[in-house]
Amino acid sequence: YITPTAITIITLSIIMGTILTMSSSNWLMAWIGLELNMLAILPIISKPKTTRASEATIKYFLTQAIASAMMLLSSTTNAWQTGNWDILELKNKFSTTIMALSLMMKMGAAPVHFWLPEVLQGTTLQTALLITTWQKLAPVTLMYMISNNIQPALLMSAGVLSMVVGGLGGINQTQLRKTMAYSSINNLGWTIMIMALSPNLAIMNITIYIIMTTPVFLMMKNTSMKTLQNLTTTWTTSTATTLSIALLMLSTSGLPPFTGFMPKMLALNELITQKLTTLATLAIMTSLISLLFYLRVAYLIMMLTPPMTI
């Protein structure tokens, strides 16, 4: 049991940590904000007294600690070379590569994504919502700030890899939290890929993803939905909720005419404008893979929902 005082302190620490990182211009302050944020979320992940939750907490802690260490290595090396701790002055090539990998690890993008599905599966739906939305803000902001200095090839490769991993990983899942984790990896792929060309578009992409994911998790929590099996039975008790989940899933997949189609269309437009047609084609192909598991969720709901009586 966590006391109300402890809950208040933890909540404030999570909020303060992210805000501190997002508003700092110095690598050390950004690092302190991320550490504060990470230490505050650990008791929340381990709140359910199960072996799974403890395992998820340790996995989360270890990956975030490794990413933090890489971040310190990167910023220290840069300060040693340039004599500057400023976030925007990350000029050293080695430092930018290590920093980009560290931030990808923090947000759970491929190739350092392994912790995300496992941690989400081991914790509650509210905590899963927190990890897939709020916890991504700080690393994405830092990546946005240094996007001009990271080699575009690195960002695009990681982006495409995240799309492929997110698509292929989600196909075989029956657990909704793991499906949402792979959905998160897939969407991060789009964000990272377009970060190399248009950072503002990347921010728009992640914002729309967060807006679409939040209600999905909240509705899953309200109906105690955990597996695909549950989806087939919840329409009897809450038809509107289940249909909303189906529509939000289709939107997240980037299917027109839903909201989720807009950032993907703009990203593809940007790629083609920059003469990166091969990459654009690859992105479309990978989004088709992820569309498969989103459609499966929508199909399960739509096919089993009785026709509306007027």
Side-chain angles (χ1 to χ4, degrees), residues 21-40:
T21 302
M22 289 170 78
S23 57
S24 61
S25 61
N26 180 297
W27 278 119
L28 283 176
M29 287 309 286
W31 176 78
I32 288 167
L34 284 168
E35 288 298 292
L36 177 66
N37 180 293
M38 175 192 72
L39 291 171

Side-chain angles (χ1 to χ4, degrees), residues 282-297:
L282 204 57
I284 293 170
M285 300 301 274
T286 53
S287 75
L288 283 176
I289 304 171
S290 61
L291 182 64
L292 188 64
F293 70 82
Y294 289 117
L295 273 176
R296 186 175 60 177
V297 173

